[in-house]
Amino acid sequence: MDLVVIASAIGLLGALTGGASVFLWMRRRQEALVAGRVQAVHKQYAAMVKDLRATNTRLMLDRERDRLSLPQQLAAAVSDQRALSGRLEAQLKFAYLELDRLRGHTSAWDSHEGGDQAFAPTQTFDDVERSL
């Protein structure tokens, strides 16, 4: 009977030793997997931060370029608006001259002494109705 107890003790000791070694092996394997995944996440995070910094730098340069070009853009827009206003004023003067010519009057621009008015001194609608 002593042999059965000794064999059982040896078997139990072997099972405990085997279980402990399997546990330690699994633990090392799990730690290696976690360490590899953590390292991969750190690399991914570093790459993402690098990309975000590059994007931020590019956007800051674009913003600075736009800020510096804004006065030129505004000057060009004002110049275009003034040119358009000048063309429209010339067309309006021509239209008033043509109206005065068709009515048989002298040019309102020739006799106008108003100075810097934008519109020609023409007849009012009431004056036109009376003359008809």
Side-chain angles (χ1 to χ4, degrees):
M1 180 118 158
D2 288 332
L3 188 60
V4 173
V5 172
I6 292 174
S8 296
I10 291 175
L12 185 60
L13 184 62
L16 287 175
T17 306
S21 65
V22 167
F23 174 76
L24 291 175
W25 176 76
M26 292 294 286
R27 183 174 169 202
R28 280 190 230 119
R29 184 175 175 201
Q30 184 66 24
E31 287 174 355
L33 286 173
V34 168
R37 289 180 182 164
V38 166
Q39 190 177 20
V41 167
H42 282 299
K43 284 182 182 178
Q44 184 180 11
Y45 176 75
M48 185 175 61
V49 167
K50 183 180 177 183
D51 289 344
L52 288 174
R53 284 186 179 151
T55 301
N56 186 36
T57 303
R58 182 178 47 83
L59 289 174
M60 286 174 59
L61 290 173
D62 288 347
R63 186 192 68 179
E64 188 65 20
R65 187 185 67 236
D66 289 345
R67 185 184 68 80
L68 293 175
S69 69
L70 185 62
Q72 290 89 7
Q73 291 174 356
L74 290 176
V78 168
S79 175
D80 291 344
Q81 187 65 28
R82 285 184 182 154
L84 178 64
S85 177
R87 285 194 301 271
L88 291 175
E89 185 178 348
Q91 290 175 357
L92 187 61
K93 285 181 183 179
F94 177 76
Y96 278 129
L97 288 172
E98 187 67 18
L99 282 173
D100 289 340
R101 185 188 66 78
L102 290 174
R103 290 183 186 148
H105 297 296
T106 59
S107 172
W109 292 106
D110 295 337
S111 63
H112 178 60
E113 298 175 7
D116 293 333
Q117 261 187 225
F119 298 102
T122 59
Q123 297 177 341
T124 62
F125 187 70
D126 294 334
D127 293 338
V128 173
E129 282 183 348
R130 285 187 209 136
S131 67
L132 294 177

